[in-house]
Structures are given as structure tokens and as C-alpha cells.
Amino acid sequence: MVKTLFVLFVLDVALLGGWLLWVRPTPDVAIIEVYAIPLLAVFNALVGAGWWLSKRPRLAGPFFLNALLAGVVFHLLLLRWYNYDRQGRYHRYAFARQGTQYVLTIHRGEQAFDLSDITNQASRSTTLLVMGDYVVRHDSVLLREWNGPRQYVLHRHTLSGFEGHATPISLRVLE
């Protein structure tokens, strides 16, 4: 029974991990857990019931246990995937200016950025200030607003051109 459960566990990790690499779900579709985990449990329970009804309870037990184990494995793999994926998709920087806290997010795959005021984040309030695209030039990033004339330069963890000031602002890298 332990050997069969181990084989099922390895299959869970291989199949679910392969599915994550193939589909590459983003955190905005995390609702998939609500559907996938019960489906995994039902599938394993049905296979276990099939083995039980065919008079092979020795094979049914591991599938019944795997009905729980597969959901836990899938949840843990998704958590690891979302944390890994976020590091590759975004670069986030924080800075403060005159009592206001800001977050600059660079979206790597979309060649876009946004700048938000997060001063009132404790009350679940953030204000999106600027959205735009960017161009990488050597070791600098030129940020251009989509609907306006504003431009910023991101260079070695400093931001120039914020609010029309030429003085660079030191940025703190967020994980």
C-alpha cells in the first residue's frame, strides 16, 4: 500500500507540475483551485471505488488516500508556482515623497508599467496614478505615460523625472 501511494504521489507531482508548466496559470485565475481540487478528489475516489467494487481493496486504499493527498499537492504546487511566477513577471519598487508612499510596478511580459499611491493601503485604498509603456536602453529604463506627456527614467534603483524634478529618487526593491 505504501509503495502504491508513493507511486501515486510521484504521478501527482509529475502530472500536476507538468500541467502548471504547460498552462502557466497567472494569479488572477487562482479560482482554478476551487474547481481542480474537488475534481482531483472525485477522480481518485472514483478510481478507488472502481478497485473496491472489483474486489481489490488493496489497490483501493491508496486511491482513497490520494483523493486527499492530490488536493494538498496541487495547492502547494500552485502556491510555489505563483510565488515563482510573480518574481519573473514583475519588478516592483517602493519610494516615499513628501509623506506619500508610492509603488512602481514594471510588467515585464507586457512592456508596461504603473505607478500607484499606496499611502492609504491600510484602509484598502490605492490610487493608480500613471500607466504607460517602457523601453530598455542599455542599463536604463525609459518610462512613458500612455495618455500624457510624463516620462521617467529608471536607472540603477533610482527614478528621475518624478513630478518634474530632475533629482533622482532612491527606490527600494519589493519582493
Side-chain angles (χ1 to χ4, degrees):
M1 178 166 156
V2 172
K3 194 186 279 187
T4 307
L5 190 59
F6 178 74
V7 169
L8 289 175
F9 175 75
V10 170
L11 280 172
D12 285 343
V13 171
L15 292 174
L16 295 171
W19 179 83
L20 283 173
L21 290 173
W22 181 52
V23 173
R24 297 186 167 285
T26 56
D28 58 332
V29 293
I31 191 77
I32 198 162
E33 277 189 272
V34 173
Y35 297 109
I37 291 176
L39 284 174
L40 288 169
V42 167
F43 173 76
N44 279 291
L46 287 174
V47 172
W51 284 116
W52 185 270
L53 293 174
S54 68
K55 307 289 189 219
R56 292 189 142 163
R58 195 174 128 266
L59 290 174
F63 278 96
F64 289 135
L65 287 174
N66 196 48
L68 300 173
L69 184 64
V72 171
V73 167
F74 187 62
H75 175 71
L76 293 175
L77 283 173
L78 271 177
L79 285 178
R80 298 277 302 182
W81 173 260
Y82 290 150
N83 286 335
Y84 168 77
D85 191 49
R86 184 173 41 228
Q87 293 167 1
R89 289 180 180 261
Y90 309 105
H91 287 291
R92 297 181 68 219
Y93 304 95
F95 65 97
R97 184 90 170 176
Q98 298 172 347
T100 305
Q101 298 176 9
Y102 300 95
V103 169
L104 172 65
T105 305
I106 308 285
H107 304 269
R108 290 180 56 185
E110 302 160 17
Q111 294 296 107
F113 80 95
D114 60 68
L115 179 66
S116 300
D117 175 352
I118 61 162
T119 305
N120 296 323
Q121 194 171 24
S123 64
R124 303 245 187 253
S125 173
T126 60
T127 304
L128 182 63
L129 301 174
V130 178
M131 292 179 68
D133 58 3
Y134 67 89
V135 177
V136 178
R137 295 210 175 122
H138 306 290
D139 60 347
S140 297
V141 180
L142 175 63
L143 308 167
R144 297 179 299 208
E145 182 181 19
W146 279 330
N147 296 324
R150 291 186 265 196
Q151 291 188 358
Y152 312 105
V153 176
L154 179 64
H155 179 74
R156 296 186 185 179
H157 304 299
T158 61
L159 181 67
S160 299
F162 182 70
E163 294 179 341
H165 299 288
T167 308
I169 301 168
S170 181
L171 302 175
R172 181 173 43 95
V173 178
L174 299 175
E175 299 270 337

